[in-house]
Amino acid sequence: MQFQDFWYIVSLSKHLKANQVLARNVLGEWLAIFRGSNGEPVALQDRCLHRNSRLSAGKVNRGILQCPYHGWLYDGNGHVIAVPAQGPSFKSPPGCRGKCYAVRERDGYVYVRLAATPRVDFEPFPMPHYGQPGWETVRVINRFANDVTNCAENFIDIPHTAFVHQGIFRSSRQKKLGMTVKRCDGAVLVEYHHESSNLGWYRYFLNFQGTGIKHSDLFFMPNITCVEYQMGGNRHLFITSQSIPETHNSTLVYTDITYNYGIWNKLALPFVGWTAQHIIRQDVKILGVQGEAIAKYGTEFFPTPADTIHLFVESIRGAIGRGEDPRLLPNKTVEVNFWV
């Protein structure tokens, strides 16, 4: 198994318009993303076969992409269908085709897979309750100066919230919490115990009545985290992030905040969007600081029991990095107490 075997978001569906080309970077590969003549998304290697200009700097007309340098024309399958310098009698020679990647469009996102023949045929991760009646979704996009592993670990890490997001999303009260951490089938599942209303000002949205909280976190290989909160009988929230590896220290993160808050759904939209972006902006800053230190000193960490989640995530991503299937790692369950 390799990282190239998985699906990665390259655009929101609504951002990929007809007669438009987007430049994207996934796992160091440059991509030109556009819609073909049938309206379906297309992903080509961002390189013209002629003189290696970037196709993403060109133009799209009715699903045909034109290189900005000498005007070569590419269809939605990457075939060169015209070369202006050779006139109307041009016939494409065998093999004159740009590299084309598999594309999926699902839940309002456009996905690309780099592997032509993946070892395991996964589907894009289904976004919880997206577009379902009674649910609202706020989407935000942020770039982090760090790698996917550290981003994913941040998104399912409680202890940092009392300091990075102090007063907004938790404060340091030194209250004992428990968690059950499971590694199984390429995923990490965390269930928290004894969590109460220490949620900062976000409690007014999440749990203003102070009812019992059911909180779980999920990491699913290779780059997805999903945080779930249930409060009482009718308050339900998912925060799902897909971390897209651009380079070793640049990660583009697409985050869905999907919630069901009954009659308050529409009224809560501006508050949810602003608060989520404010919290993520703080994470962008601290992960940038961590990234700078890692660039200088490396990744020699000193883990505590509260970092069990991180160790499991790293074991899964490490296995993929070695070309192994992390689903073959032994199942493990660890009970941990920590203080926030």
Side-chain angles (χ1 to χ4, degrees), residues 187-227:
V188 180
L189 175 64
V190 188
E191 295 181 345
Y192 295 93
H193 316 296
H194 317 304
E195 193 168 3
S196 61
S197 59
N198 184 10
L199 298 171
W201 83 42
Y202 214 54
R203 71 183 183 277
Y204 294 111
F205 170 70
L206 285 175
N207 194 26
F208 73 91
Q209 292 180 335
T211 58
I213 295 176
K214 183 178 180 181
H215 172 198
S216 64
D217 292 347
L218 170 73
F219 169 81
F220 190 76
M221 62 179 179
N223 65 326
I224 296 158
T225 60
C226 186
V227 177

Side-chain angles (χ1 to χ4, degrees), residues 40-56:
E40 297 296 319
V42 175
L44 298 182
Q45 186 178 67
D46 195 4
R47 180 184 75 91
C48 181
L49 299 175
H50 179 217
R51 306 299 293 177
N52 280 8
S53 179
R54 295 193 65 174
L55 294 174
S56 62

Side-chain angles (χ1 to χ4, degrees), residues 27 38 99 108 138 145 157 197 200 211 240 262-263 303:
L27 289 168
N38 59 0
K99 192 171 184 179
V138 175
D157 174 81
S197 59
T211 58
T240 307
I263 62 173

Side-chain angles (χ1 to χ4, degrees), residues 127-143:
M127 301 303 284
H129 299 287
Y130 177 75
Q132 293 182 6
W135 293 82
E136 296 290 340
T137 295
V138 175
R139 289 191 155 160
V140 293
I141 307 170
N142 292 271
R143 181 171 279 107

Side-chain angles (χ1 to χ4, degrees), residues 150-179:
N150 292 320
C151 288
E153 291 175 356
N154 170 271
F155 303 152
I156 52 175
D157 174 81
I158 284 184
H160 87 277
T161 62
F163 302 96
V164 176
H165 313 303
Q166 186 173 12
I168 302 170
F169 194 50
R170 295 192 183 91
S171 297
S172 182
R173 295 181 180 177
Q174 284 297 285
K175 181 176 179 178
K176 183 179 179 180
L177 299 179
M179 63 179 177

Side-chain angles (χ1 to χ4, degrees), residues 77-134:
N77 293 310
H79 294 291
V80 177
I81 60 173
V83 173
Q86 292 190 264
S89 61
F90 168 77
K91 292 183 179 180
S92 182
C96 193
R97 180 186 181 188
K99 192 171 184 179
C100 194
Y101 296 98
V103 182
R104 292 277 192 280
E105 193 162 14
R106 179 173 181 172
D107 295 334
Y109 283 125
V110 178
Y111 292 84
V112 168
R113 186 187 64 204
L114 298 184
T117 54
R119 290 161 177 77
V120 182
D121 191 13
F122 294 104
E123 286 295 317
F125 185 80
M127 301 303 284
H129 299 287
Y130 177 75
Q132 293 182 6

